[in-house]
Amino acid sequence: MMLSRVANNIYWAARYIERAENTARLINVNSHLLLDLPKRVRLGWEPIIDILGNHELFYQRHDAADERQVVRFMVSEQANPGSIISSLRQARENARTIRDIIPREAWEQINHNYLQARELAGSSLGRRKRDDFLRQIILGAQTMTGMLAGTMTHDEGYDFLRMGRNLERADMTTRIVDVRSASLLPEMSEDLSPFENIQWVSVLKSLTAYQMYRREMRIRVRRPDVLRFLLQERRFPRALYHTICEVENCLQHLPHNDKPLKTLTALQKKVLSAKPEKLMQEELHSFVDTLQLGLAKLHQDISASYF
């Protein structure tokens, strides 16, 4: 069994790479969503802060959640540990300490991703170049995921990497479902009802799920079907149930897995036994809170067992 310090660094390197990609997706989708909605619909940029759990930190440093301040906060602000640059810097630092575990090409790619993002971060403030910058962040993270899958030995180290990636995805999926569903035109008038479809499309696009949803469902985008797809679909990589099943597969390869597997099995049962499409907004919020507590408990059990 590898050293707990090494396992911990692999796990967190994967989480930070995934976090940078997820943040880039959120900013990109929100930029496009605001262009698609009529000007009288004011969703703004505050939901992005709420999704990533940075509401209190943001308002300690900024007075208003306007586009420029939120984008800077989420892309490059050093005081925000969840910003894209902070996430890539922490991924780089974790990867630096395990260069003898991961392929050399993977370390070079992580280093390149961080240095390039730091150099170009300023271009994200203007809309003209923001899309290109965010696409480079996403492509860099996906390159890392593919490179590690294709060049790293699939041993216990790779299991810790997959666990970190999938727990980060699970956390982001629940956050997006919770916050985005709550901000979807709650007091919708008749003339705004057509735009509900646009916003549920944005929920799917935040997780790169739109095309796969249409392929699976073959119907128009509707709240009940989106919730069922994002929470319970086994075959889509960013659906909650898929991510925790991937964590289960990793744990089954590792020793001392009794406690985290017990927590994970209970979480799986909660996901599958629920009928999210029938939940009203307050009930959905409570259900997602329960899921997030389960994910936090699973992370704690993994940490206690291995790190």
Side-chain angles (χ1 to χ4, degrees), residues 127-158:
R127 290 185 180 179
R128 179 177 299 179
K129 296 183 178 180
R130 182 184 304 158
D131 193 63
D132 287 341
F133 170 78
L134 295 173
R135 286 180 184 275
Q136 286 185 11
I137 298 296
I138 295 167
L139 180 60
Q142 291 180 325
T143 300
M144 273 303 313
T145 299
M147 183 178 291
L148 288 165
T151 62
M152 183 175 177
T153 300
H154 288 199
D155 56 7
E156 65 269 21
Y158 191 68

Side-chain angles (χ1 to χ4, degrees), residues 15-291:
R15 291 201 70 152
Y16 286 129
I17 292 168
E18 184 69 24
R19 190 172 298 177
E21 180 184 351
N22 291 337
T23 303
R25 290 182 189 281
L26 278 175
I27 297 170
N28 199 29
V29 170
N30 206 65
S31 297
H32 290 288
L33 172 62
L34 296 180
L35 295 175
D36 291 335
L37 291 172
K39 291 184 178 179
R40 66 184 184 280
V41 179
R42 298 183 176 275
L43 287 184
W45 286 88
E46 195 166 40
I48 299 296
I49 303 169
D50 294 335
I51 286 172
L52 297 171
N54 289 317
H55 191 277
E56 183 176 346
L57 178 62
F58 178 84
Y59 282 105
Q60 286 175 359
R61 304 181 60 82
H62 301 279
D63 54 358
D66 59 56
E67 180 176 353
R68 192 174 182 85
Q69 291 189 76
V70 172
V71 171
R72 181 188 291 113
F73 179 77
M74 298 313 308
V75 170
S76 59
E77 195 156 312
Q78 293 186 10
N80 175 16
S83 71
I84 290 174
I85 300 301
S86 294
S87 296
L88 291 176
R89 181 173 61 249
Q90 292 174 93
R92 177 177 179 256
E93 179 58 25
N94 278 279
R96 184 187 62 80
T97 65
I98 53 170
R99 282 183 291 178
D100 57 335
I101 302 295
I102 61 175
R104 178 178 178 179
E105 293 82 2
W107 155 247
E108 291 174 349
Q109 182 67 40
I110 292 174
N111 192 45
H112 170 76
N113 289 351
Y114 167 68
L115 294 175
Q116 183 183 55
R118 189 180 63 177
E119 180 182 351
L120 300 176
S123 65
S124 66
L125 297 178
R127 290 185 180 179
R128 179 177 299 179
K129 296 183 178 180
R130 182 184 304 158
D131 193 63
D132 287 341
F133 170 78
L134 295 173
R135 286 180 184 275
Q136 286 185 11
I137 298 296
I138 295 167
L139 180 60
Q142 291 180 325
T143 300
M144 273 303 313
T145 299
M147 183 178 291
L148 288 165
T151 62
M152 183 175 177
T153 300
H154 288 199
D155 56 7
E156 65 269 21
Y158 191 68
D159 285 327
F160 284 111
L161 184 140
R162 287 175 59 212
M163 281 198 294
R165 179 194 305 139
N166 280 285
L167 277 175
E168 189 66 30
R169 284 184 182 177
D171 179 67
M172 179 58 73
T173 297
T174 55
R175 288 173 182 272
I176 288 174
V177 167
D178 188 27
V179 176
R180 272 302 189 198
S181 61
S183 64
L184 292 177
L185 308 177
E187 298 177 357
M188 191 179 304
S189 60
E190 286 294 323
D191 61 329
L192 287 179
S193 58
F195 295 102
E196 182 185 20
N197 178 269
I198 292 176
Q199 294 211 57
W200 281 108
V201 169
S202 82
V203 171
L204 290 168
K205 288 185 174 179
S206 297
L207 295 162
T208 322
Y210 176 69
Q211 187 177 354
M212 295 301 102
Y213 169 89
R214 294 302 299 266
R215 177 183 164 189
E216 178 71 19
M217 297 299 184
R218 300 184 183 278
I219 55 176
R220 67 186 181 90
V221 178
R222 303 185 309 158
R223 178 185 189 271
D225 301 305
V226 171
L227 291 176
R228 189 165 59 249
F229 184 78
L230 293 180
L231 294 177
Q232 296 177 327
E233 174 58 49
R234 175 64 179 89
R235 296 168 295 177
F236 179 64
R238 294 179 183 272
L240 175 63
Y241 186 63
H242 176 93
T243 60
I244 57 178
C245 286
E246 289 294 292
V247 175
E248 179 186 31
N249 291 339
C250 296
L251 285 170
Q252 287 174 345
H253 299 156
L254 300 172
H256 315 302
N257 59 12
D258 292 350
K259 193 171 182 180
L261 276 178
K262 182 178 179 181
T263 299
L264 191 145
T265 300
L267 184 59
Q268 287 174 320
K269 289 179 179 178
K270 285 179 184 176
V271 174
L272 290 183
S273 64
K275 298 189 182 302
E277 68 276 9
K278 294 184 178 180
L279 298 177
M280 300 300 289
Q281 188 54 47
E282 282 302 314
E283 295 171 321
L284 178 63
H285 177 70
S286 178
F287 175 62
V288 172
D289 277 351
T290 301
L291 296 179

